[in-house]
Amino acid sequence: MSGLEIPSWDPQTALLIGAILLEAIVLYAGYGGLERILGPPLLRLIVGGDGSGQ
Amino acid sequence: MSPEMLALFVGFGLVVGVLFGFFGMGGSFLVTPALLMLDYDPSVAVGSGMAFVFGTAVIATLKHHDLGQVDYKLGAIMITGTTIGIEAGRASVYYLESIGLAGALISVSYVVLLGGVGAMVTRDALRGDGGGIDHEAADKSLDEYEIPETAKKIQRTVRIPPMVSLRGDVRVSAWVITAVAFATGLLSGFLGVGGGFIRMPAMIYAIGVPVPVAVGTDLFEIVFSGGLGSYLYGQGGGVDLGIVVPLLFGSALGARVGSAATAVVDADGIKVYFGGMLLVGAIAVGVGEIGSYVGSPVLEAAGLVLVIGAAVVVAAAILYTSILSLRTTKGRQRATAD
Protein backbone atom coordinates (compact mmCIF):
# COMPACT_ATOMS: atom_id res chain seq x y z
CA MET A 1 0.00 0.00 0.00
CA SER A 2 2.99 2.37 0.02
CA GLY A 3 3.57 4.76 -2.91
CA LEU A 4 1.10 7.20 -4.47
CA GLU A 5 -1.98 5.52 -5.94
CA ILE A 6 -4.97 6.33 -8.09
CA PRO A 7 -7.97 5.00 -6.13
CA SER A 8 -9.52 1.92 -7.75
CA TRP A 9 -13.18 0.93 -7.41
CA ASP A 10 -13.71 -1.36 -4.45
CA PRO A 11 -17.40 -2.08 -3.65
CA GLN A 12 -16.63 -3.33 -0.13
CA THR A 13 -14.73 -0.15 0.85
CA ALA A 14 -17.37 2.02 -0.85
CA LEU A 15 -19.98 0.25 1.31
CA LEU A 16 -17.85 0.94 4.40
CA ILE A 17 -17.59 4.68 3.66
CA GLY A 18 -21.26 4.75 2.61
CA ALA A 19 -22.19 3.28 6.01
CA ILE A 20 -20.32 6.12 7.78
CA LEU A 21 -22.00 8.71 5.50
CA LEU A 22 -25.43 7.18 6.21
CA GLU A 23 -24.76 7.10 9.95
CA ALA A 24 -23.75 10.80 9.87
CA ILE A 25 -26.95 11.82 8.00
CA VAL A 26 -29.17 9.70 10.29
CA LEU A 27 -27.47 11.16 13.39
CA TYR A 28 -27.85 14.75 12.06
CA ALA A 29 -31.56 14.25 11.45
CA GLY A 30 -32.18 12.04 14.49
CA TYR A 31 -30.41 14.23 17.06
CA GLY A 32 -32.00 17.32 15.44
CA GLY A 33 -35.45 15.81 16.02
CA LEU A 34 -34.55 14.73 19.56
CA GLU A 35 -33.26 18.24 20.33
CA ARG A 36 -36.59 19.76 19.26
CA ILE A 37 -38.62 17.27 21.31
CA LEU A 38 -36.45 16.74 24.39
CA GLY A 39 -34.50 20.05 24.43
CA PRO A 40 -37.05 22.29 26.24
CA PRO A 41 -38.00 19.75 29.00
CA LEU A 42 -34.32 18.87 29.51
CA LEU A 43 -33.44 22.56 29.85
CA ARG A 44 -36.28 22.98 32.39
CA LEU A 45 -34.89 20.04 34.34
CA ILE A 46 -31.35 21.47 34.38
CA VAL A 47 -32.17 25.15 34.92
CA GLY A 48 -35.47 24.84 36.77
CA GLY A 49 -38.63 26.82 35.89
CA ASP A 50 -39.89 27.26 32.31
CA GLY A 51 -36.53 26.75 30.61
CA SER A 52 -36.50 30.11 28.89
CA GLY A 53 -33.19 31.05 30.47
CA GLN A 54 -31.35 30.84 27.17
CA MET B 1 -15.62 -5.49 20.81
CA SER B 2 -16.29 -5.57 24.56
CA PRO B 3 -19.13 -3.44 26.03
CA GLU B 4 -16.49 -1.53 28.04
CA MET B 5 -14.64 -0.51 24.86
CA LEU B 6 -17.92 0.42 23.18
CA ALA B 7 -18.86 2.64 26.15
CA LEU B 8 -15.35 4.15 26.14
CA PHE B 9 -15.62 5.07 22.44
CA VAL B 10 -19.16 6.52 22.78
CA GLY B 11 -18.07 8.48 25.87
CA PHE B 12 -14.85 9.70 24.25
CA GLY B 13 -16.83 10.66 21.14
CA LEU B 14 -19.23 12.67 23.32
CA VAL B 15 -16.30 14.56 24.90
CA VAL B 16 -14.62 15.16 21.52
CA GLY B 17 -17.97 16.34 20.11
CA VAL B 18 -18.49 18.88 22.93
CA LEU B 19 -14.99 20.30 22.26
CA PHE B 20 -15.56 20.40 18.47
CA GLY B 21 -19.00 21.99 18.82
CA PHE B 22 -17.73 24.61 21.27
CA PHE B 23 -14.32 25.53 19.84
CA GLY B 24 -15.06 24.64 16.21
CA MET B 25 -11.81 22.73 15.98
CA GLY B 26 -9.49 20.39 17.79
CA GLY B 27 -11.69 17.42 18.58
CA SER B 28 -10.25 15.09 16.01
CA PHE B 29 -6.61 15.34 16.89
CA LEU B 30 -7.17 13.62 20.21
CA VAL B 31 -8.65 10.52 18.56
CA THR B 32 -5.63 9.16 16.65
CA PRO B 33 -3.17 9.47 19.60
CA ALA B 34 -5.72 7.76 21.89
CA LEU B 35 -6.10 4.90 19.38
CA LEU B 36 -2.30 4.60 19.09
CA MET B 37 -2.08 4.36 22.88
CA LEU B 38 -4.78 1.66 22.82
CA ASP B 39 -2.30 -0.35 20.70
CA TYR B 40 -4.09 -0.11 17.35
CA ASP B 41 -1.86 -0.31 14.25
CA PRO B 42 -0.77 3.19 13.08
CA SER B 43 -2.67 2.76 9.78
CA VAL B 44 -5.87 1.76 11.67
CA ALA B 45 -5.43 4.64 14.17
CA VAL B 46 -4.91 7.22 11.39
CA GLY B 47 -7.46 5.65 8.97
CA SER B 48 -10.22 5.35 11.60
CA GLY B 49 -9.37 8.85 12.90
CA MET B 50 -9.82 10.17 9.37
CA ALA B 51 -13.11 8.28 8.84
CA PHE B 52 -14.35 9.82 12.10
CA VAL B 53 -13.33 13.28 10.83
CA PHE B 54 -15.23 12.57 7.59
CA GLY B 55 -18.43 11.67 9.48
CA THR B 56 -18.13 14.71 11.75
CA ALA B 57 -17.56 16.98 8.72
CA VAL B 58 -20.70 15.63 6.98
CA ILE B 59 -22.82 16.54 10.02
CA ALA B 60 -21.23 20.00 10.47
CA THR B 61 -21.45 20.82 6.71
CA LEU B 62 -25.19 20.06 6.68
CA LYS B 63 -25.57 22.67 9.43
CA HIS B 64 -23.35 25.31 7.71
CA HIS B 65 -25.08 24.71 4.36
CA ASP B 66 -28.37 25.62 6.06
CA LEU B 67 -26.70 28.87 7.26
CA GLY B 68 -25.40 29.72 3.71
CA GLN B 69 -21.76 29.67 4.84
CA VAL B 70 -20.20 27.42 2.19
CA ASP B 71 -18.22 28.74 -0.85
CA TYR B 72 -18.60 25.74 -3.19
CA LYS B 73 -16.23 27.19 -5.84
CA LEU B 74 -13.39 27.60 -3.33
CA GLY B 75 -14.13 24.16 -1.88
CA ALA B 76 -14.01 22.55 -5.33
CA ILE B 77 -10.61 24.17 -6.14
CA MET B 78 -9.20 23.09 -2.78
CA ILE B 79 -10.33 19.47 -3.16
CA THR B 80 -7.64 18.67 -5.80
CA GLY B 81 -4.72 20.06 -3.77
CA THR B 82 -5.94 18.50 -0.52
CA THR B 83 -6.56 15.13 -2.15
CA ILE B 84 -3.01 14.95 -3.57
CA GLY B 85 -1.67 16.07 -0.16
CA ILE B 86 -3.69 13.43 1.69
CA GLU B 87 -2.54 10.70 -0.69
CA ALA B 88 1.11 11.76 -0.21
CA GLY B 89 0.61 11.73 3.58
CA ARG B 90 -1.13 8.33 3.47
CA ALA B 91 1.63 6.84 1.31
CA SER B 92 4.19 8.12 3.86
CA VAL B 93 2.33 6.35 6.71
CA TYR B 94 2.34 3.00 4.87
CA TYR B 95 6.00 3.42 3.87
CA LEU B 96 7.03 4.28 7.44
CA GLU B 97 4.94 1.37 8.71
CA SER B 98 6.81 -1.00 6.37
CA ILE B 99 10.13 0.09 7.90
CA GLY B 100 8.69 0.05 11.45
CA LEU B 101 8.88 3.79 12.14
CA ALA B 102 5.27 4.91 11.66
CA GLY B 103 4.05 4.77 15.29
CA ALA B 104 7.06 6.65 16.67
CA LEU B 105 7.12 9.34 13.94
CA ILE B 106 3.36 9.97 14.08
CA SER B 107 3.56 10.27 17.88
CA VAL B 108 6.50 12.71 17.66
CA SER B 109 4.58 14.76 15.05
CA TYR B 110 1.60 14.87 17.43
CA VAL B 111 3.80 16.03 20.32
CA VAL B 112 5.15 18.89 18.14
CA LEU B 113 1.72 19.75 16.70
CA LEU B 114 -0.32 19.57 19.92
CA GLY B 115 2.46 21.34 21.81
CA GLY B 116 2.81 24.08 19.17
CA VAL B 117 -0.91 24.73 18.68
CA GLY B 118 -1.49 24.40 22.46
CA ALA B 119 1.20 26.98 23.23
CA MET B 120 -0.22 29.34 20.57
CA VAL B 121 -3.83 29.05 21.84
CA THR B 122 -2.74 29.44 25.50
CA ARG B 123 -0.65 32.52 24.65
CA ASP B 124 -3.51 34.11 22.66
CA ALA B 125 -6.06 33.25 25.38
CA LEU B 126 -3.87 34.79 28.10
CA ARG B 127 -3.43 37.91 25.93
CA GLY B 128 -7.19 37.98 25.36
CA ASP B 129 -6.89 37.47 21.57
CA GLY B 130 -8.95 34.27 21.68
CA GLY B 131 -7.90 31.24 19.61
CA GLY B 132 -9.96 28.76 17.63
CA ILE B 133 -12.97 30.20 15.86
CA ASP B 134 -13.97 33.74 16.80
CA HIS B 135 -17.71 33.16 17.31
CA GLU B 136 -18.47 36.91 17.08
CA ALA B 137 -16.58 37.21 13.77
CA ALA B 138 -18.32 34.05 12.57
CA ASP B 139 -21.70 35.71 13.15
CA LYS B 140 -20.82 38.93 11.21
CA SER B 141 -22.30 39.53 7.76
CA LEU B 142 -19.92 39.22 4.79
CA ASP B 143 -20.25 42.96 3.97
CA GLU B 144 -18.76 43.89 7.37
CA TYR B 145 -15.71 41.69 6.83
CA GLU B 146 -12.27 43.26 6.28
CA ILE B 147 -9.59 41.31 4.42
CA PRO B 148 -6.46 40.86 6.64
CA GLU B 149 -3.32 42.77 5.53
CA THR B 150 -1.33 39.54 4.89
CA ALA B 151 -4.02 38.28 2.50
CA LYS B 152 -4.15 41.66 0.69
CA LYS B 153 -0.36 41.53 0.25
CA ILE B 154 -0.50 37.97 -1.14
CA GLN B 155 -3.37 38.95 -3.48
CA ARG B 156 -1.28 41.91 -4.77
CA THR B 157 2.03 40.03 -5.19
CA VAL B 158 1.05 36.48 -6.28
CA ARG B 159 -0.88 37.07 -9.50
CA ILE B 160 -0.16 33.80 -11.35
CA PRO B 161 -3.16 33.01 -13.59
CA PRO B 162 -5.78 31.70 -13.36
CA MET B 163 -7.16 34.31 -10.91
CA VAL B 164 -10.36 33.32 -9.11
CA SER B 165 -13.13 35.50 -7.64
CA LEU B 166 -14.53 34.23 -4.32
CA ARG B 167 -17.34 35.19 -1.95
CA GLY B 168 -16.67 38.29 0.17
CA ASP B 169 -15.18 40.18 -2.84
CA VAL B 170 -11.90 38.21 -2.81
CA ARG B 171 -9.75 37.75 -5.96
CA VAL B 172 -6.80 35.38 -5.62
CA SER B 173 -4.54 33.10 -7.70
CA ALA B 174 -5.80 29.50 -7.90
CA TRP B 175 -2.20 28.45 -7.14
CA VAL B 176 -2.29 30.09 -3.70
CA ILE B 177 -5.47 28.11 -2.94
CA THR B 178 -3.89 24.88 -4.23
CA ALA B 179 -0.69 25.40 -2.18
CA VAL B 180 -2.70 25.96 1.03
CA ALA B 181 -4.84 22.91 0.22
CA PHE B 182 -1.83 20.64 -0.51
CA ALA B 183 0.04 21.56 2.70
CA THR B 184 -2.97 20.95 4.94
CA GLY B 185 -3.90 17.77 3.00
CA LEU B 186 -0.41 16.38 3.64
CA LEU B 187 -0.91 16.94 7.36
CA SER B 188 -4.38 15.33 7.24
CA GLY B 189 -3.13 12.26 5.40
CA PHE B 190 -0.18 11.78 7.73
CA LEU B 191 -1.96 12.35 11.03
CA GLY B 192 -5.62 11.49 10.30
CA VAL B 193 -6.80 14.94 11.38
CA GLY B 194 -9.22 17.24 9.57
CA GLY B 195 -6.55 19.94 9.48
CA GLY B 196 -9.10 22.70 10.12
CA PHE B 197 -6.97 24.29 12.85
CA ILE B 198 -4.33 25.04 10.18
CA ARG B 199 -6.52 25.30 7.07
CA MET B 200 -8.94 27.83 8.56
CA PRO B 201 -6.27 30.38 9.61
CA ALA B 202 -4.56 29.76 6.23
CA MET B 203 -7.83 30.44 4.37
CA ILE B 204 -8.39 33.62 6.39
CA TYR B 205 -4.83 35.03 6.41
CA ALA B 206 -3.38 33.66 3.12
CA ILE B 207 -6.46 33.64 0.86
CA GLY B 208 -8.52 36.38 2.58
CA VAL B 209 -11.77 34.42 2.96
CA PRO B 210 -14.31 35.82 5.50
CA VAL B 211 -14.37 33.84 8.77
CA PRO B 212 -17.88 32.31 8.44
CA VAL B 213 -17.17 31.21 4.84
CA ALA B 214 -13.77 29.78 5.91
CA VAL B 215 -15.48 27.66 8.58
CA GLY B 216 -18.23 26.34 6.28
CA THR B 217 -15.98 25.79 3.24
CA ASP B 218 -13.32 24.03 5.33
CA LEU B 219 -15.93 21.53 6.53
CA PHE B 220 -17.37 21.04 3.03
CA GLU B 221 -13.88 20.39 1.72
CA ILE B 222 -13.16 17.85 4.49
CA VAL B 223 -16.28 15.89 3.46
CA PHE B 224 -14.65 15.16 0.08
CA SER B 225 -10.98 14.95 1.02
CA GLY B 226 -11.74 13.07 4.27
CA GLY B 227 -14.12 10.76 2.39
CA LEU B 228 -11.47 9.96 -0.21
CA GLY B 229 -8.75 9.61 2.44
CA SER B 230 -10.98 7.22 4.41
CA TYR B 231 -11.68 5.26 1.20
CA LEU B 232 -7.94 4.89 0.51
CA TYR B 233 -7.22 3.85 4.10
CA GLY B 234 -10.29 1.56 3.99
CA GLN B 235 -8.87 -0.26 0.95
CA GLY B 236 -5.80 -1.12 3.03
CA GLY B 237 -7.96 -2.30 5.97
CA GLY B 238 -7.25 0.91 7.91
CA VAL B 239 -10.87 1.86 8.74
CA ASP B 240 -12.44 0.00 11.68
CA LEU B 241 -16.24 0.53 11.85
CA GLY B 242 -16.18 -0.80 15.43
CA ILE B 243 -14.22 2.36 16.33
CA VAL B 244 -15.82 4.91 13.99
CA VAL B 245 -19.53 4.12 14.57
CA PRO B 246 -19.56 4.52 18.40
CA LEU B 247 -17.23 7.55 18.24
CA LEU B 248 -19.52 9.29 15.76
CA PHE B 249 -22.62 8.29 17.74
CA GLY B 250 -21.22 10.10 20.79
CA SER B 251 -19.65 13.06 18.98
CA ALA B 252 -22.78 14.01 16.97
CA LEU B 253 -24.65 14.47 20.26
CA GLY B 254 -21.69 16.20 21.95
CA ALA B 255 -21.31 18.64 19.03
CA ARG B 256 -24.95 19.78 19.46
CA VAL B 257 -24.37 20.35 23.17
CA GLY B 258 -21.04 22.16 22.56
CA SER B 259 -22.52 24.31 19.81
CA ALA B 260 -25.50 25.28 22.03
CA ALA B 261 -23.07 26.14 24.86
CA THR B 262 -21.42 28.85 22.69
CA ALA B 263 -24.67 30.85 23.00
CA VAL B 264 -24.49 31.05 26.81
CA VAL B 265 -20.77 30.93 27.69
CA ASP B 266 -17.96 33.39 26.95
CA ALA B 267 -15.52 31.20 24.99
CA ASP B 268 -12.46 33.36 25.79
CA GLY B 269 -12.57 32.36 29.47
CA ILE B 270 -12.37 28.68 28.56
CA LYS B 271 -9.87 28.89 25.71
CA VAL B 272 -6.97 28.93 28.14
CA TYR B 273 -8.11 25.48 29.37
CA PHE B 274 -8.35 24.34 25.76
CA GLY B 275 -4.73 25.42 25.18
CA GLY B 276 -3.77 23.66 28.42
CA MET B 277 -5.57 20.53 27.24
CA LEU B 278 -3.56 20.48 24.01
CA LEU B 279 -0.31 20.91 25.98
CA VAL B 280 -1.29 18.05 28.33
CA GLY B 281 -2.19 16.04 25.20
CA ALA B 282 1.34 16.65 23.84
CA ILE B 283 2.89 15.49 27.15
CA ALA B 284 0.53 12.47 27.24
CA VAL B 285 1.52 11.32 23.74
CA GLY B 286 5.20 11.77 24.71
CA VAL B 287 4.76 9.78 27.94
CA GLY B 288 2.85 7.03 26.09
CA GLU B 289 5.53 6.80 23.40
CA ILE B 290 8.34 6.59 25.98
CA GLY B 291 6.29 3.88 27.77
CA SER B 292 5.98 1.94 24.52
CA TYR B 293 9.72 2.41 23.73
CA VAL B 294 10.94 1.19 27.14
CA GLY B 295 8.16 -1.43 27.35
CA SER B 296 6.44 0.07 30.40
CA PRO B 297 2.66 -0.60 30.40
CA VAL B 298 2.30 1.81 33.36
CA LEU B 299 3.67 4.75 31.35
CA GLU B 300 1.54 3.77 28.32
CA ALA B 301 -1.59 3.69 30.53
CA ALA B 302 -0.60 7.02 32.15
CA GLY B 303 -0.38 8.61 28.67
CA LEU B 304 -3.85 7.34 27.74
CA VAL B 305 -5.39 8.50 31.04
CA LEU B 306 -3.77 11.95 30.59
CA VAL B 307 -5.01 12.47 27.02
CA ILE B 308 -8.58 11.32 27.78
CA GLY B 309 -8.59 12.98 31.23
CA ALA B 310 -7.55 16.39 29.86
CA ALA B 311 -10.33 16.30 27.24
CA VAL B 312 -12.91 15.21 29.85
CA VAL B 313 -11.88 18.04 32.22
CA VAL B 314 -12.26 20.75 29.53
CA ALA B 315 -15.59 19.32 28.25
CA ALA B 316 -16.86 19.17 31.86
CA ALA B 317 -15.74 22.79 32.41
CA ILE B 318 -17.79 23.85 29.35
CA LEU B 319 -20.90 22.01 30.56
CA TYR B 320 -20.54 23.23 34.16
CA THR B 321 -20.04 26.87 33.08
CA SER B 322 -23.03 26.62 30.70
CA ILE B 323 -25.37 25.28 33.39
CA LEU B 324 -24.10 27.89 35.87
CA SER B 325 -24.62 30.68 33.31
CA LEU B 326 -28.15 29.44 32.45
CA ARG B 327 -29.09 29.27 36.16
CA THR B 328 -27.70 32.77 36.80
CA THR B 329 -29.70 34.20 33.86
CA LYS B 330 -32.80 32.38 35.13
CA GLY B 331 -32.23 33.71 38.66
CA ARG B 332 -31.92 37.30 37.33
CA GLN B 333 -35.11 36.89 35.28
CA ARG B 334 -36.98 35.68 38.38
CA ALA B 335 -35.61 38.59 40.46
CA THR B 336 -36.70 41.09 37.80
CA ALA B 337 -40.16 39.48 37.57
CA ASP B 338 -40.52 39.66 41.39
Side-chain angles (χ1 to χ4, degrees):
Chain A
M1 284 301 292
S2 45
L4 291 179
E5 306 180 3
I6 303 293
S8 55
W9 175 245
D10 176 2
Q12 212 176 345
T13 312
L15 204 66
L16 184 80
I17 305 305
I20 298 169
L21 179 67
L22 184 69
E23 187 198 0
I25 295 169
V26 169
L27 287 175
Y28 176 74
Y31 282 143
L34 273 180
E35 190 179 310
R36 272 191 297 277
I37 299 165
L38 296 180
L42 202 63
L43 203 61
R44 270 199 298 277
L45 190 76
I46 294 169
V47 181
D50 62 4
S52 60
Q54 198 170 345
Chain B
M1 179 178 286
S2 68
E4 291 85 3
M5 285 302 283
L6 199 69
L8 176 76
F9 284 139
V10 173
F12 191 47
L14 192 72
V15 167
V16 166
V18 170
L19 298 175
F20 177 76
F22 191 79
F23 294 109
M25 66 168 199
S28 62
F29 52 70
L30 293 169
V31 172
T32 304
L35 292 176
L36 283 172
M37 285 181 222
L38 283 166
D39 264 346
Y40 282 97
D41 285 341
S43 55
V44 174
V46 178
S48 301
M50 180 167 280
F52 168 69
V53 166
F54 162 66
T56 310
V58 169
I59 295 170
T61 304
L62 287 169
K63 184 181 153 197
H64 285 272
H65 169 81
D66 292 346
L67 296 170
Q69 294 173 342
V70 182
D71 187 329
Y72 290 100
K73 193 205 276 182
L74 174 63
I77 298 169
M78 289 193 84
I79 285 167
T80 316
T82 312
T83 304
I84 298 169
I86 284 183
E87 174 54 7
R90 187 203 62 84
S92 314
V93 170
Y94 277 103
Y95 172 70
L96 289 169
E97 203 166 55
S98 70
I99 57 169
L101 285 175
L105 268 176
I106 292 170
S107 294
V108 168
S109 305
Y110 265 108
V111 171
V112 173
L113 191 74
L114 288 172
V117 177
M120 205 171 66
V121 172
T122 309
R123 191 198 59 190
D124 289 350
L126 291 174
R127 275 185 190 168
D129 294 347
I133 293 176
D134 179 350
H135 289 288
E136 279 169 30
D139 291 338
K140 270 187 195 170
S141 104
L142 296 189
D143 301 333
E144 296 172 50
Y145 178 78
E146 267 190 45
I147 299 172
E149 271 310 311
T150 337
K152 277 185 190 165
K153 204 171 171 185
I154 291 172
Q155 287 169 16
R156 276 197 303 267
T157 46
V158 186
R159 303 192 63 82
I160 311 165
M163 297 296 283
V164 186
S165 299
L166 303 171
R167 291 185 61 185
D169 208 18
V170 175
R171 196 163 160 75
V172 66
S173 166
W175 293 102
V176 172
I177 301 172
T178 309
V180 167
F182 176 79
T184 49
L186 190 67
L187 199 77
S188 292
F190 189 64
L191 298 175
V193 295
F197 60 98
I198 300 227
R199 194 183 296 111
M200 256 182 312
M203 278 163 106
I204 295 161
Y205 292 105
I207 302 175
V209 178
V211 176
V213 178
V215 177
T217 309
D218 174 53
L219 290 163
F220 164 71
E221 205 263 340
I222 293 173
V223 169
F224 286 90
S225 52
L228 185 70
S230 306
Y231 181 84
L232 288 166
Y233 270 104
Q235 278 187 314
V239 175
D240 186 341
L241 271 190
I243 299 170
V244 182
V245 168
L247 272 178
L248 205 55
F249 186 79
S251 80
L253 178 63
R256 281 189 179 268
V257 175
S259 171
T262 59
V264 289
V265 177
D266 173 26
D268 287 342
I270 288 181
K271 270 170 192 160
V272 69
Y273 297 108
F274 181 65
M277 178 195 76
L278 298 180
L279 289 174
V280 171
I283 296 166
V285 176
V287 168
E289 191 53 35
I290 292 167
S292 148
Y293 186 72
V294 300
S296 161
V298 178
L299 279 182
E300 281 186 271
L304 186 65
V305 168
L306 266 178
V307 79
I308 295 180
V312 169
V313 167
V314 179
I318 293 169
L319 296 181
Y320 176 74
T321 318
S322 303
I323 293 170
L324 211 62
S325 168
L326 280 171
R327 287 194 168 163
T328 310
T329 312
K330 187 74 205 162
R332 275 201 210 114
Q333 282 177 349
R334 276 191 190 134
T336 314
D338 291 342

